[in-house]
Amino acid sequence: MVVDRAPPSRDVQVRANHVMNIPTYYLRNHTFACLCDRHYVILDLLADMYLRVEKRNFEALVHCTNVWSLSSTYPHESRNGTLTDESRTLLSELIARGLLTENPDHANGTPEISVSIPVQTLMSDVERIDLNHCVRRVFSFLASAAIAAVWLKQPISQTVSWVIERKRRRKHAPAQFNVDLARDLIAIFCRLRPFYNRRYLCLFDSLALLNFLARYDIFPTWVFGVQSEPFAAHCWVQHDEFVLNDTVDRVRLYTPLMAV
C-alpha cells in the first residue's frame, strides 16, 4: 500500500525546532536547489556558482531547514533532529557561504519549482524559412541579441532580475500562449541567428530569444537545469510542455533547478 505523506507545515517545523533548540534555516532568496540523482545541486545566483552536496548529508539537515519539499526525508524521520559531524560541517559551510538565513523575510519562499515535463519542441526546419519572410523582423532580432549581449556583461543575478521585472510589468500579453505565432517567430530567430557574430551558448541564445519574443508580447519561461554525474548546467526556453529553443530529448537530461 502506498501512502501519500504531505510535508509538515512551516509552523509545525518551527515549533519542533524550538523544542529541540535548533534554529530554523531558510534558503536565501538568491539560492535554489534540486535533488539530482545522488546529489543535491545548489545554485547561488548572487555568486553565479553551483555547489553539489551528497544526498545523505543534505537530508540530514531537513529538520532544521525549509527544504523538506525537495527531500524524500521529512523532519520526523531525520534521526530525531540529531546532527552528525558531517551535517554540522555542511550546515556551517552553507551559512558561511550566505546560502542559508534564519530570517524568513530573506528566504526563497518556494524552493521547489514546478516545470512541466516537455513533450514537444517548437523548433522547426529553419532552412525552409525564406529570408524574405524574415526581413521585417531583422531589427527586432538584432536589437534583442544586442541587448542580451549587454545584459550578460552584468552579474547573472541582475540579468535574471531584469527578466523577472519585465515579465511582471507586461501589459499586453494575451491570456493564451499563441503556439503558431511562437513557432513562426522562433523559426525566424533561428534563421537569422547565423548572421549575428557570437558563439552559440545556451545562456546567450535563450536570453536573446526571450528578448525577441517579448517584443511580440510572448513571455515564456527561462528554465535552468543541471546534471549531477558528470556535472553539467544548461538553460532553455519553455512554455508548459513546449520547448522553444532545444530538443525534448536534450532538456530531459537535466533536472530543472530554477525557472524565471
Side-chain angles (χ1 to χ4, degrees):
M1 180 176 64
V2 177
V3 179
D4 291 328
R5 299 171 299 172
S9 68
R10 189 175 75 179
D11 291 340
V12 171
Q13 185 191 26
V14 169
R15 289 197 299 270
N17 289 350
H18 179 72
V19 171
M20 294 184 292
N21 199 28
I22 299 174
T24 298
Y25 293 98
Y26 305 88
L27 285 177
R28 292 291 298 264
N29 49 18
H30 57 82
T31 306
F32 303 84
C34 69
L35 175 59
C36 188
D37 300 323
R38 297 185 300 110
H39 295 88
Y40 281 87
V41 178
I42 304 172
L43 168 61
D44 181 354
L45 191 62
L46 207 57
D48 191 12
M49 180 183 65
Y50 292 91
L51 179 67
R52 192 174 64 168
V53 179
E54 285 191 14
K55 178 181 176 182
R56 62 183 179 86
N57 292 336
F58 191 79
E59 292 195 342
L61 305 178
V62 72
H63 64 280
C64 62
T65 66
N66 72 326
V67 296
W68 62 79
S69 61
L70 304 172
S71 171
S72 59
T73 302
Y74 297 124
H76 64 273
E77 297 174 344
S78 55
R79 302 182 187 178
N80 296 319
T82 301
L83 291 177
T84 64
D85 289 341
E86 281 183 322
S87 57
R88 286 183 186 278
T89 300
L90 174 60
L91 181 61
S92 297
E93 180 181 358
L94 295 178
I95 294 171
R97 287 175 179 264
L99 304 180
L100 294 178
T101 177
E102 292 184 53
N103 188 344
D105 294 334
H106 298 160
N108 178 351
T110 54
E112 183 180 31
I113 68 168
S114 177
V115 175
S116 300
I117 297 174
V119 298
Q120 186 175 347
T121 180
L122 294 187
M123 291 184 67
S124 61
D125 186 359
V126 299
E127 297 302 325
R128 295 181 181 178
I129 301 295
D130 191 324
L131 277 175
N132 292 327
H133 181 63
C134 304
V135 169
R136 65 193 181 99
R137 311 287 193 190
V138 168
F139 176 80
S140 292
F141 167 79
L142 292 175
S144 300
I147 291 170
V150 171
W151 281 8
L152 289 178
K153 292 179 181 179
Q154 304 301 316
I156 186 62
S157 57
Q158 181 63 66
T159 301
V160 168
S161 295
W162 284 332
V163 172
I164 291 172
E165 179 61 18
R166 177 175 62 192
K167 215 170 179 181
R168 188 187 67 81
R169 289 188 290 105
R170 63 185 180 179
K171 297 178 181 179
H172 307 296
Q176 291 186 333
F177 184 79
N178 190 327
V179 175
D180 292 332
L181 175 60
R183 183 183 284 110
D184 187 55
L185 291 171
I186 291 163
I188 292 171
F189 179 92
C190 293
R191 187 73 173 91
L192 294 174
R193 178 62 177 89
F195 297 98
Y196 191 84
N197 187 23
R198 187 176 175 119
R199 190 158 62 98
Y200 281 80
L201 291 172
C202 63
L203 197 61
F204 169 78
D205 284 277
S206 292
L207 180 58
L209 179 60
L210 287 168
N211 291 344
F212 184 65
L213 294 176
R215 288 173 171 267
Y216 304 98
D217 297 322
I218 297 176
F219 297 90
T221 301
W222 193 7
V223 182
F224 291 73
V226 289
Q227 291 181 136
S228 176
E229 298 175 295
F231 177 78
H234 185 46
C235 69
W236 62 92
V237 180
Q238 183 173 335
H239 177 79
D240 292 340
E241 73 273 17
F242 297 105
V243 179
L244 277 59
N245 65 335
D246 212 326
T247 64
V248 170
D249 289 342
R250 185 181 184 195
V251 301
R252 279 192 172 185
L253 297 175
Y254 295 86
T255 300
L257 174 65
M258 181 179 73
V260 178

